[in-house]
Amino acid sequence: MNQNTEPYSSHDVALVLGGGGAAGNAWQLGVIAGLADAGYDLTELADLVVGTSAGSTAGASVRSGMSAAELYAAALVVPARPAGAGAAAPGPAQRPPAIPQQELFDRLRAIGDAAGSAEELHRALGAFALESDALLRPGADQRRALVASRLPSQDWPERPLLVAALNAHTGELVAFDRDSGVDLADAVTASTALPGGTATHIVDGVHYINGGVRSAENADLAAGYATVIVLSPFGGPDWQRPGQFEGIRRFPGYGLDDQVEALRAQGSRVVVITPDAASREAMGTNQMDLATRPPSARAGYAQGRAEAERLTPPA
């Protein structure tokens, strides 16, 4: 292992993985593989992993026991819709109608514009998700099966993993972990449930929605860790893409910059990695497209190797 990892031998490192669709998921796994090849294997070094939306699937992968190289190899494959996902891969005529993407994100932005506080926004987006369930509920079981089929393991890892979601009824943050009494597949399905795009995910009678409604990263869940490494597919200056969470209003305290500032004020060393120009190009304009995974992973790998120097603790 590269000698630069020696200062991390005492660990106390948190890895935060943000939302970013299929492309963002693959980019994060690529970055992690590139960092590992440069001597910073976060599959081993991270004492805590925090995952939100696509970051929750990446987090489950990072904690699955697979090596960084295996994670990278998996990210280079475009996953097929499994034949066993319900009766399970329904044809177009069987799928519930979806709200067109532009219309959906226009609606999400309008809800954000009308909100007077973060709490009001989270409750309003939860209400919108519950309202949309009448349209989207028929696809819920299939989506849960699909999420489960793409997890390397169905079991919660022994090492700490937090999966961020919101209670659709109250708008409150829920950080699922192995002690929550919730299956890992249910936690990840909840964390990836986009209001108006997919049905809310129901666990024990409670409806949950995407943790990215609150924050694309939820980096504040890493409070108290000496070193916090944030991979943010939607972060970076002047990167505003149509149809992504960046267009949803962020109240003070919930944006990445605010959360990083708060962590640093508490004494954490925070390193934020966002897509560079090559990675943004590889991820394209529709990060939900599975075809973006291989180029995003490759670009992430190259960026990870280049970013390794930033993880060297100061002397």
Side-chain angles (χ1 to χ4, degrees), residues 262-276:
L263 288 169
R264 287 174 174 157
Q266 294 164 17
S268 295
R269 175 173 178 260
V270 185
V271 178
V272 179
I273 299 176
T274 60
D276 60 15

Side-chain angles (χ1 to χ4, degrees), residues 128-205:
F128 171 57
L130 292 168
E131 171 193 321
S132 302
D133 268 0
L135 182 69
L136 299 167
R137 181 56 51 194
D141 290 343
Q142 175 192 342
R143 197 177 82 84
R144 198 271 187 192
L146 187 60
V147 169
S149 74
R150 291 178 178 166
L151 295 177
S153 172
Q154 299 296 305
D155 299 322
W156 279 97
E158 292 293 332
R159 300 182 68 196
L161 169 67
L162 297 180
V163 174
L166 262 64
N167 182 315
H169 309 279
T170 66
E172 295 175 334
L173 173 68
V174 178
F176 293 112
D177 64 12
R178 65 176 290 108
D179 297 322
S180 299
V182 173
D183 287 348
L184 178 60
D186 285 310
V188 174
T189 305
S191 185
T192 56
L194 175 65
T198 64
T200 61
H201 190 61
I202 304 174
V203 181
D204 296 331

Side-chain angles (χ1 to χ4, degrees), residues 1-314:
M1 180 175 286
N2 185 301
Q3 63 180 1
N4 287 338
T5 62
E6 183 58 31
Y8 287 121
S9 59
S10 61
H11 290 208
D12 203 18
V13 174
L15 171 63
V16 176
L17 301 171
N25 172 281
W27 173 78
Q28 290 177 105
L29 296 179
V31 170
I32 289 167
L35 290 171
D37 274 1
Y40 299 94
D41 189 351
L42 291 171
T43 68
E44 296 292 336
L45 289 170
D47 297 293
L48 171 71
V49 176
V50 177
T52 298
S53 193
S56 70
T57 62
S61 297
V62 168
R63 282 298 199 225
S64 68
M66 296 173 67
S67 68
E70 290 171 327
L71 295 175
Y72 180 53
L76 292 173
V77 176
V78 178
R81 182 175 292 275
Q94 294 172 273
R95 295 193 185 103
I99 301 172
Q101 180 172 284
Q102 187 60 53
E103 179 182 333
L104 169 60
F105 281 91
D106 285 347
R107 177 72 184 275
L108 295 178
R109 293 184 183 98
I111 292 171
D113 290 344
S117 67
E119 294 73 21
E120 183 180 337
L121 171 60
H122 302 158
R123 288 194 299 269
L125 288 171
F128 171 57
L130 292 168
E131 171 193 321
S132 302
D133 268 0
L135 182 69
L136 299 167
R137 181 56 51 194
D141 290 343
Q142 175 192 342
R143 197 177 82 84
R144 198 271 187 192
L146 187 60
V147 169
S149 74
R150 291 178 178 166
L151 295 177
S153 172
Q154 299 296 305
D155 299 322
W156 279 97
E158 292 293 332
R159 300 182 68 196
L161 169 67
L162 297 180
V163 174
L166 262 64
N167 182 315
H169 309 279
T170 66
E172 295 175 334
L173 173 68
V174 178
F176 293 112
D177 64 12
R178 65 176 290 108
D179 297 322
S180 299
V182 173
D183 287 348
L184 178 60
D186 285 310
V188 174
T189 305
S191 185
T192 56
L194 175 65
T198 64
T200 61
H201 190 61
I202 304 174
V203 181
D204 296 331
V206 179
H207 295 243
Y208 294 97
I209 57 174
N210 196 303
V213 163
R214 175 183 186 267
S215 163
E217 298 83 14
N218 291 297
D220 54 331
L221 291 176
Y225 282 77
T227 299
V228 181
I229 299 168
V230 183
L231 304 188
S232 176
F234 283 165
D238 301 322
W239 190 23
Q240 301 289 318
R241 294 196 172 194
Q244 305 300 350
F245 271 124
E246 298 321 270
I248 295 177
R249 186 174 182 181
R250 298 291 185 200
F251 282 86
Y254 295 93
L256 178 58
D257 289 346
D258 288 344
Q259 294 188 345
V260 167
E261 182 179 350
L263 288 169
R264 287 174 174 157
Q266 294 164 17
S268 295
R269 175 173 178 260
V270 185
V271 178
V272 179
I273 299 176
T274 60
D276 60 15
S279 292
R280 292 197 297 270
E281 182 177 359
M283 293 168 74
T285 57
N286 179 8
Q287 285 117 349
M288 302 305 293
D289 184 355
L290 294 175
T292 62
R293 285 180 61 78
S296 298
R298 292 189 189 98
Y301 176 83
Q303 185 176 354
R305 288 187 61 86
E307 295 278 7
E309 184 177 339
R310 295 180 57 206
L311 298 190
T312 304

